Amino acid sequence: MDFSTRTSTIHLRPVGPQHNSPLSTIIHKHQHPQFKLERMHQMEFESDLARSSEYKSFRSTVPLKQIVVDSEALKVWKLYDAGPRGVRCPLVCLPPVCGTADSFFKQILPLTAHGYRVISVEYPVYWTVPEWCEGFRHLLDLLEIDRAHILGASLGGFLAQKFAEVTFNCPRVASLILCNSFIDTKIFNYADSSSVFWMLPATLLKKMIIGRFPRKLMDSQIAESIDFMVERLERLSQCELASRLTLNCSSDYVQPQKIQVQVTILDVFDESALSQTVKEEMYKCYPTARLAHLKTGGNFPFLARAEEVNIYIQVHLRAHEGSHLSASDSGTPVDR
């Protein structure tokens, strides 16, 4: 995957009066596979998912928390923590580059209704993977979490693997669910220039991310998932975007031999930001992993195909029920 190739073919343009509806509406209105993604900050609308009763119920039920993990109060993690507080090995969700803590709202309420504790996080600015891993370890300590099952999407999946790797001698990861993720950042062909991301304007950084999205006709659920995630992207600062892209593209790779936990690889068969070669490399690195394939789902199947994804998550977590690594506590009422 080469960001430069993608961004050269996507031209962002101001939205005229006739284009004041979300991306999904634009797709269905024009029915053209080579649509142009618009600059969301110039579109005065709220995405369909953000207007949905499910999202509103989530926001009114689960409070957003902020937790400081450093003595200078510079590293503030944002998170939603739902489910039985007595669970010491919850499911922790890590978003992709453009994601925020609410990106997994379609997992939080359904899974907590089944007795699981689910935490979805949004991390502060970190410029290196070791710094991020240290910050995440402090967060788990402050939340009094012994070990965690981690659902990571794209960059979130890569960081989850690196955290499992660096805590190999003192395990903090119970299992991994890797959604459209990767094991080596070289696939983005940006290692040489990632050191200058910190000085690029936010508009260019956003264009790099948007350029990875498919540019053809898609079903409404996938289009709505893109609407929602681009909306999240617009809320991120230049520093947040630059640091995430630096983590995503700086030369680094996972050492799978150090990851001795249950792994489920969740990916899609339709067009996404990752090539089939990247997916096959994941399969080779985790030969004993459970494969959870979705026929369609795009870049964000946890939104576009939430019901199927949630079933796979429950199947994955069920293997640990009744043990000290259980992510649920059926004897404790769901506490949000």
Side-chain angles (χ1 to χ4, degrees):
M1 171 65 60
D2 187 345
F3 274 130
S4 59
T5 302
R6 292 280 184 148
T7 55
S8 64
T9 60
I10 299 291
H11 303 285
L12 304 182
R13 55 184 173 84
V15 180
Q18 72 275 27
H19 290 183
N20 59 356
S21 55
L23 177 60
S24 56
T25 305
I26 292 172
I27 294 169
H28 296 302
K29 182 183 295 183
H30 296 285
Q31 295 293 301
H32 196 289
Q34 299 299 324
F35 66 86
K36 295 180 180 180
L37 289 168
E38 312 296 346
R39 291 176 65 177
M40 298 292 281
H41 66 277
Q42 294 183 353
M43 303 175 72
E44 296 182 359
F45 73 93
E46 192 175 36
S47 67
D48 288 345
L49 286 181
R51 291 198 305 265
S52 69
S53 58
E54 183 179 7
Y55 182 73
K56 291 179 179 178
S57 174
F58 160 73
R59 289 303 305 269
S60 64
T61 305
V62 186
L64 176 65
K65 299 180 180 180
Q66 298 189 46
I67 297 181
V68 178
V69 299
D70 67 320
S71 57
E72 292 81 19
L74 298 176
K75 304 298 184 183
V76 182
W77 290 66
K78 300 176 183 178
L79 59 89
Y80 293 98
D81 185 354
R85 295 294 187 270
V87 172
R88 300 288 293 273
C89 190
L91 174 68
V92 178
C93 304
L94 303 178
V97 169
C98 58
T100 51
D102 58 352
S103 298
F104 294 97
F105 79 94
K106 281 182 172 286
Q107 282 65 55
I108 295 175
L109 290 186
L111 291 175
T112 54
H114 284 87
Y116 293 101
R117 183 183 181 187
V118 183
I119 301 173
S120 182
V121 307
E122 178 181 336
Y123 44 88
V125 172
Y126 291 105
W127 295 98
T128 69
V129 170
E131 287 178 348
W132 184 93
C133 289
E134 184 65 13
F136 187 53
R137 185 182 65 80
H138 285 312
L139 177 69
L140 296 183
D141 290 342
L142 291 170
L143 292 174
E144 298 183 344
I145 293 173
D146 302 324
R147 295 172 72 173
H149 303 277
I150 304 179
L151 165 60
S154 191
L155 172 61
F158 178 75
L159 294 173
Q161 294 172 84
K162 293 299 293 183
F163 185 70
E165 175 189 309
V166 301
T167 59
F168 171 70
N169 292 322
C170 184
R172 300 300 299 271
V173 177
S175 70
L176 294 171
I177 304 175
L178 307 175
C179 176
N180 283 349
S181 195
F182 53 91
I183 63 162
D184 196 326
T185 61
K186 70 180 181 182
I187 64 172
F188 298 108
N189 296 328
Y190 250 118
D192 294 337
S193 54
S194 61
S195 60
V196 301
F197 285 163
W198 65 273
M199 62 192 307
L200 298 181
T203 301
L204 181 56
L205 297 174
K206 291 171 184 177
K207 187 178 179 181
M208 291 170 61
I209 296 171
I210 291 175
R212 299 163 58 196
F213 298 161
R215 296 174 291 112
K216 66 178 184 180
L217 190 66
M218 62 191 72
D219 72 42
S220 61
Q221 290 178 314
I222 295 176
E224 287 169 6
S225 73
I226 294 177
D227 282 349
F228 185 81
M229 293 303 289
V230 175
E231 202 172 50
R232 313 273 81 68
L233 173 65
E234 281 297 328
R235 298 179 181 182
L236 299 176
S237 68
Q238 186 277 341
C239 197
E240 288 171 322
L241 286 171
S243 63
R244 292 184 183 197
L245 283 170
T246 300
L247 294 175
N248 198 80
C249 299
S250 297
S251 182
D252 203 351
Y253 61 91
V254 175
Q255 300 180 61
Q257 70 274 13
K258 292 186 177 181
I259 300 178
Q260 304 296 321
V261 297
Q262 176 194 4
V263 177
T264 291
I265 298 175
L266 197 160
D267 56 20
V268 298
F269 284 141
D270 62 349
E271 184 177 359
S272 68
L274 300 180
S275 68
Q276 186 60 34
T277 301
V278 174
K279 297 174 185 177
E280 290 174 355
E281 190 65 26
M282 287 283 290
Y283 306 154
K284 291 178 183 178
C285 288
Y286 300 106
T288 62
R290 175 175 287 153
L291 303 182
H293 296 307
L294 298 174
K295 185 177 180 180
T296 59
N299 287 306
F300 314 113
F302 49 90
L303 288 170
R305 300 292 184 267
E307 290 186 6
E308 296 175 67
V309 169
N310 291 347
I311 289 174
Y312 282 126
I313 292 173
Q314 290 180 70
V315 170
H316 175 94
L317 296 176
R318 205 169 290 154
H320 301 280
E321 288 186 3
S323 74
H324 68 288
L325 297 180
S326 176
S328 67
D329 183 356
S330 57
T332 302
V334 174
D335 175 19
R336 295 194 181 103

